[in-house]
Amino acid sequence: MGRYLLKRLALAIPVLLAVVTITFFMVRLAPGGPFDMERNVPAEVTANLNAQYNLDAPLWRQYVDYLGDLARGDFGPSFRYASRSVNEMIGAGFPITLELGLYAILFALLVGMPAGILASLRPNSAQDYVPMSAAMIGICLPSFVLGPMLILVFGIWLGWLPVSGWGINPGDKVLPAITLGSTYAAYIARITRGGMLDILSQDFIRTARAKGLSTWRIVRVHALRGGVAPVVSFLGPALAGLLAGSFVVETIFQIPGLGRFYIQAAFNRDYTMILGTTVFLSALIILFNLLADVVLVWLNPQLRKNL
């Protein structure tokens, strides 16, 4: 297992380098610059700003300097927020984004797994068709449509829940978590159904039924561990997708997370903020995928022979 982890971590280095390289040159080649929005700024001031942020150096020199700073864990200063570094802004916004992602994945698991299990117990019946049809609707309904619908119904018409902000009130978390987690709940429901159907068709399950064990005991003791293995494999990309997908939800519900900083950086051509957030999220995606693989190996010892 130790060699497997070291191998995966070693493979992550060229992946991150590719992400940094592609993002660096894409944002530099895009039209506009970080100081183009300034009005009535003399040319001397613009030149001083470019010199301060190393933008007057050749592009290859900027790239090499950025890699050197990145190797020390320094994402650099923000071009649009002169008194703050990218590290500080990520540190301020990421805990909120992570909290939102955790609420969303918890909602997805609590809704998706029971729905998939129930559907697998009676395939091709109403108990199967109803949750799977709802799951298909959840997959097809994007968050930028579902979010405003939830705001309209539960925030404006019924007045039950807040529609913006992120404070100590638990109600602030409900609508954003549902909006972000609904699509993943639908995927988890369908994945759980497929995994459970595969396990429930095995010989050892028929033996357990022949012994007179109840359906829920068979599910809980014999089938669940193998049936949820595909869900565990899905959780790594899902967590990464939740963090990236939260950008839209944070904008809809006015949540001061990392997503809003990233969107503002894109509009403001804040090169270092775009790069820092992209690299940070890419590293998290790699980490989540690695953790999902480790848990999957723990659930299925047979996989350890292939490491």
Side-chain angles (χ1 to χ4, degrees):
M1 179 64 74
R3 286 190 301 175
Y4 172 73
L5 292 176
L6 291 175
K7 181 180 179 181
R8 289 290 299 273
L9 291 175
L11 291 174
I13 296 176
V15 172
L16 286 176
L17 181 61
V19 170
V20 172
T21 303
I22 294 172
T23 306
F24 181 90
F25 288 103
M26 283 185 65
V27 297
R28 290 302 200 281
L29 295 175
F35 307 118
D36 289 354
M37 299 298 292
E38 304 292 343
R39 297 182 181 275
N40 301 322
V41 177
E44 294 80 2
V45 175
T46 302
N48 290 334
L49 287 172
N50 289 331
Q52 178 181 353
Y53 292 104
N54 198 33
L55 294 177
D56 58 345
L59 194 57
W60 68 268
R61 183 76 253 179
Q62 296 180 42
Y63 174 69
V64 172
D65 291 342
Y66 184 79
L67 288 182
D69 294 337
L70 188 61
R72 297 190 297 270
D74 183 8
F75 292 128
S78 170
F79 289 174
R80 301 299 299 180
Y81 300 91
S83 61
R84 304 184 69 182
S85 68
V86 175
N87 295 64
E88 293 173 348
M89 297 179 70
I90 291 177
F94 177 67
I96 297 175
T97 298
L98 179 62
E99 184 182 3
L100 172 59
L102 292 177
Y103 290 146
I105 198 65
L106 181 62
F107 169 79
L109 289 171
L110 291 178
V111 173
M113 287 185 62
I117 292 172
L118 287 173
S120 67
L121 295 179
R122 297 187 64 185
N124 301 320
S125 67
Q127 186 173 318
D128 181 19
Y129 294 145
V130 171
M132 290 302 102
S133 298
M136 184 58 66
I137 294 174
I139 293 173
C140 297
L141 196 62
S143 58
F144 60 82
V145 174
L146 180 60
M149 289 175 56
L150 293 177
I151 290 174
L152 180 64
V153 175
F154 296 100
I156 298 177
W157 289 353
L158 300 177
W160 290 353
L161 295 167
V163 298
S164 65
W166 191 266
I168 60 175
N169 181 9
D172 294 341
K173 283 78 172 175
V174 176
L175 292 184
I178 294 175
T179 302
L180 184 58
S182 293
T183 299
Y184 292 91
Y187 281 115
I188 288 174
R190 297 187 67 85
I191 292 172
T192 302
R193 176 187 180 274
M196 290 295 296
L197 285 176
D198 182 60
I199 296 297
L200 291 174
S201 64
Q202 301 295 319
D203 291 338
F204 71 94
I205 296 295
R206 286 193 287 267
T207 301
R209 285 173 174 161
K211 291 181 178 180
L213 297 180
S214 66
T215 300
W216 288 112
R217 181 171 176 81
I218 291 173
V219 169
R220 181 171 55 87
V221 176
H222 299 285
L224 192 58
R225 183 166 181 169
V228 300
V231 177
V232 175
S233 299
F234 175 72
L235 284 182
L239 285 170
L242 284 169
L243 294 179
S246 67
F247 292 4
V248 175
V249 176
E250 288 175 16
T251 303
I252 293 173
F253 292 94
Q254 298 297 301
I255 299 173
L258 186 58
R260 292 190 64 192
F261 287 148
Y262 190 81
I263 292 174
Q264 291 171 1
F267 282 114
N268 295 329
R269 299 296 192 273
D270 193 343
Y271 295 158
T272 49
M273 187 64 196
I274 296 172
L275 273 165
T277 306
T278 302
V279 174
F280 181 74
L281 290 178
S282 299
L284 284 179
I285 291 172
I286 293 172
L287 177 61
F288 287 147
N289 286 328
L290 178 59
L291 291 176
D293 290 343
V294 170
V295 174
L296 188 62
V297 170
W298 176 75
L299 288 173
N300 188 358
Q302 187 68 26
L303 295 176
R304 298 174 190 170
K305 298 179 181 179
N306 299 324
L307 295 181

